[in-house]
Amino acid sequence: SNLKNFYPIKLKNNKIFKFFIYFISDLYVGTLNGPFHLSQFLNKKSLCIDVIDFNCSVIFKKIKIVPKKLFNQKTKKVLSYREVYDKNLENNYNDTEIKKTKIKVFFASPKQIIDAYQDLTLSSKFNHKKFKYQKESILNYVSNKFYNDNKNLFM
């Protein structure tokens, strides 16, 4: 894949320049935080990685996500996203509840991020009905490749 168009923005004191960069960018790639909400306001395509707050609201629908996986160290298996909801672990912006349990968090791999980026940039379709257990969950915006590789987590 071609990574020459990725530029990390590390501008601590120049907020106007940061805003300008977001304004002229074609899409947003990053975490589910303030710049993501700005990209939504500007109606940009967005790729959110390492999503763990599964009840986050989405205004515009041009989004794909790569969620974190939660590994239960007691049972030695990755929790399905339905189990995450059943255990009330879906609201974890800062992983606070997860840190209290015997659950390990798996972050997105570089390959998952690149696959989701390609899914976002090459597709004009945004199929948002992948997680039927919670119709309003941000998990409905999961990238197609991540979903196809992890269907068992969405049952």
Side-chain angles (χ1 to χ4, degrees), residues 82 127-137 139-140 147 154-155:
R82 182 177 184 147
N127 179 4
H128 301 305
K129 302 295 179 206
K130 294 181 175 97
F131 188 57
K132 296 178 180 15
Y133 183 67
Q134 290 287 331
K135 293 179 183 177
E136 300 301 318
S137 173
L139 288 167
N140 285 301
Y147 177 76
F154 292 87
M155 302 295 170

Side-chain angles (χ1 to χ4, degrees), residues 6-128:
F6 282 94
Y7 302 100
I9 299 174
K10 295 181 181 180
L11 305 171
K12 292 183 180 180
N13 297 322
N14 198 335
K15 293 179 181 175
I16 293 172
F17 187 64
K18 278 186 186 178
F19 179 79
F20 178 72
I21 294 294
Y22 287 117
F23 186 76
I24 65 169
S25 297
D26 292 333
L27 57 96
Y28 168 78
V29 178
T31 58
L32 200 63
N33 58 18
F36 161 73
H37 296 293
L38 176 60
S39 73
Q40 288 285 279
F41 177 75
L42 296 172
N43 200 20
K44 305 280 185 181
K45 285 184 176 181
S46 300
L47 171 59
C48 291
I49 56 174
D50 292 330
V51 174
I52 196 158
D53 183 9
F54 301 135
N55 284 338
C56 178
S57 61
V58 176
I59 300 168
F60 302 107
K61 307 302 182 196
K62 294 192 289 188
I63 178 177
K64 301 279 183 173
I65 71 160
V66 179
K68 291 180 182 178
K69 293 181 184 177
L70 304 177
F71 181 78
N72 186 327
Q73 294 177 336
K74 290 179 185 174
T75 63
K76 305 286 188 223
K77 70 174 194 130
V78 175
L79 294 175
S80 73
Y81 293 112
R82 182 177 184 147
E83 290 173 306
V84 170
Y85 273 88
D86 290 344
K87 294 178 184 297
N88 295 317
L89 296 173
E90 72 276 8
N91 290 322
N92 279 287
Y93 185 73
N94 293 319
D95 299 345
T96 51
E97 289 300 314
I98 290 172
K99 289 176 182 173
K100 296 177 186 176
T101 64
K102 291 245 180 208
I103 293 180
K104 184 176 180 178
V105 177
F106 291 144
F107 296 88
S109 70
K111 182 176 181 344
Q112 289 172 327
I113 295 169
I114 290 169
D115 288 343
Y117 170 80
Q118 290 174 337
D119 182 22
L120 178 71
T121 56
L122 299 176
S123 175
S124 60
K125 295 181 181 179
F126 292 89
N127 179 4
H128 301 305

